[in-house]
Amino acid sequence: MGQAVAIIGTGQTECGKRTDVSYPELIYEAVGRAFEDSGLSPEDIEAVVSGSMPPAMEGVANPHLYWVDAMGAAGKPLIRTATCGSTGMSLAHTGFYHVASGLFDLVLVVGAEKMYEGDPQGTMATVAEPFFQRPFLAGAPGIFSLQSNEWAHRYGLEEERVRMAAAQLSVRNHTDAFLNPYAHIKVKITVEDVVKSRVIAYPVRILDVCPGSDGACAMIMASERMVKKLGVKPAWIRGVGYSGEEAFFGEGDKVVWQSAILAAKRAYKQAGITNPRNELDVAEVYNPFTFQEMLFYECFGFCDFGHGCELVENGVVMKGGDLPCDPSGGTLCTNPIGATGLQRTAEAALQVTNKAGDHQIPGANTGLAHAMGGLDQFNGVMIISNSL
Amino acid sequence: MIMGAVMSEESRILEGYVSLPYKWSMGATTTRFFEEFKNKRIMGTKCKKCNRVLLPARKFCSHCFEETDQWVEVSQEGKLRTWVTVNFSYEGQPKEPPYVLGIIDLDGADVGLPHFVGGIPTDDFDEIAKKVRIGGRVKAVWNENRTGNILDIDYFKPVD
């Protein structure tokens, strides 16, 4: 690896239906907060990394050109990174590459989405190629339910058991979202509410599914020498891993899911992690669908394959458990897609620097951030710690 | 592009529409794949290096990066790898929900095909779950009028 990279500031907007601001105004809010958090100003930044969903989402092509003023990016190297759901994590990785390469010491990373401005499921339908897959693999809930059903069947998990574990995750996230000032969906729910809510893509119900949000997230990354110069106590990026799969959904195994397994393995190897369950203190697992989160536990080595439900049933992934997951309320309650993976990264950075406020996991030193994207096809993982 | 404006409480909303036409080149391999549909044949291409039969037929192997020019007919029947009942709506949806989607592993192919599962009642989720099961056998049901596209197969019907 090149030079060490740290996160020295984060900024998030309140998420939800943000008709009070235009798209660049929303980004200006997040970027301003990242500068406030880091004590830096736009002239300190050497390069800017930005990204969002396919531009059909907001109806403006190449949106980084539209965002440029809101990011203070005029006159600087500017790049757009976009990998659908995993965009936010790809952004974090792209920012990392910029600094780790030694080319830049201070980089601004920005992800945003305004999902109330277009047709999110219709936009996602344009992600599948038009000849073979588009009529069938459009709309995220359908794809993820195909995957969840196969997962439950592979391991002979009873439908009722999986449904109850998923419902517990939904309640956990909806409860935790109240403690995150930036979270979108804040409603009190019970397990019974979840299992009785409307079916979206059988067996997945409306309370198992994330919303589409308006929101932005910004982050400032710095080299080790810049961290020393500034004299700050940052969150260090200890490992990054990313992996993609074939273009055809039916080609890969989505249960023993290679892209998720490889992304985690690569990040663990760089970070020197051999036992993630013991060595991680907190994980921001990308969970747009409750069912899918349990599949990720298995692929990330939090438990053996087929045992994801047990981590929920035994409280391991709940607050107070061995490995609390998504204390921010997660993607399930807040999902401005282009920003979502970057929010996971920002939240992990807040946790390990003891800055997570009301949703702080006490004593968290090392965390995992994750996002998934493409056509259920890409996974990215980042390991973040308060020491190098 | 059509534009109008309506007032909201917080700030004004500009309403617009983006609608663009496209002409997507299929290439010779996909063209033949769909021509064979007119004769109710489902064809894959085999990779000489890894011996996988790729479906849909394609020009090169996704794993080996080798050209795949050996055409192989695969079965009209196969196993249902997984399925879902779609019960939500979106712009550009191919049919009215609820409907059932599946990934079908046709006999003789090494890649699963996404398509509709049909020939079953779709108004009761529990009834669907009784008729459609993972690992169950399904068979292609063709449209009478075939024009050479993926919807020439109407759906896959459970047969056991």
Side-chain angles (χ1 to χ4, degrees), chain A residues 19-20 119 121-122 130-132 134-136 138-139 141-142 145-146 149-150 153 198-202 246 248-252, chain B residues 10-11 24-26 30 34 52 56 58 62-63 81-85 87-88 90-91 94 101 103 112 114-116 125 134 150:
Chain A
T19 51
D20 58 315
D119 182 320
Q121 298 306 328
F131 304 127
F132 307 107
R134 186 169 294 180
F136 315 112
S145 298
L146 286 171
N149 284 339
E150 192 182 356
H153 182 265
R198 188 168 71 82
V199 170
I200 293 288
Y202 187 86
E246 302 89 343
F248 286 96
F249 183 89
E251 193 154 344
Chain B
E10 302 90 346
S11 67
W24 291 302
S25 301
M26 286 187 180
T30 298
F34 284 134
R52 291 187 311 153
R58 55 192 97 164
S62 52
H63 290 177
R81 185 191 297 185
T82 183
W83 63 277
V84 60
T85 305
N87 193 37
F88 63 97
Y90 61 90
E91 181 80 22
L101 292 179
I103 304 292
H115 217 293
F116 299 120
F125 295 119
I134 292 179
I150 196 70

Side-chain angles (χ1 to χ4, degrees), chain A residues 16 30 44 58 68 103 126 128 139 149 151 299 346 361 376 382:
Chain A
D44 299 318
E58 288 87 5
V68 66
L103 280 175
T126 69
N149 284 339
W151 167 70
C299 294
I361 301 299
D376 209 34
M382 186 175 263

Side-chain angles (χ1 to χ4, degrees), chain A residues 140-141 144-145 148 204 208-210 287-293 332:
Chain A
F144 298 125
S145 298
S148 300
V204 171
D208 289 308
V209 180
C210 63
N287 65 345
F289 298 85
T290 51
F291 290 71
Q292 204 186 31
E293 184 173 335
L332 191 69

Side-chain angles (χ1 to χ4, degrees), chain A residues 67 93 155 160 226 331 360:
Chain A
W67 300 3
H93 284 203
Y155 300 117
E160 183 65 14
M226 185 55 69
T331 308
Q360 178 67 46

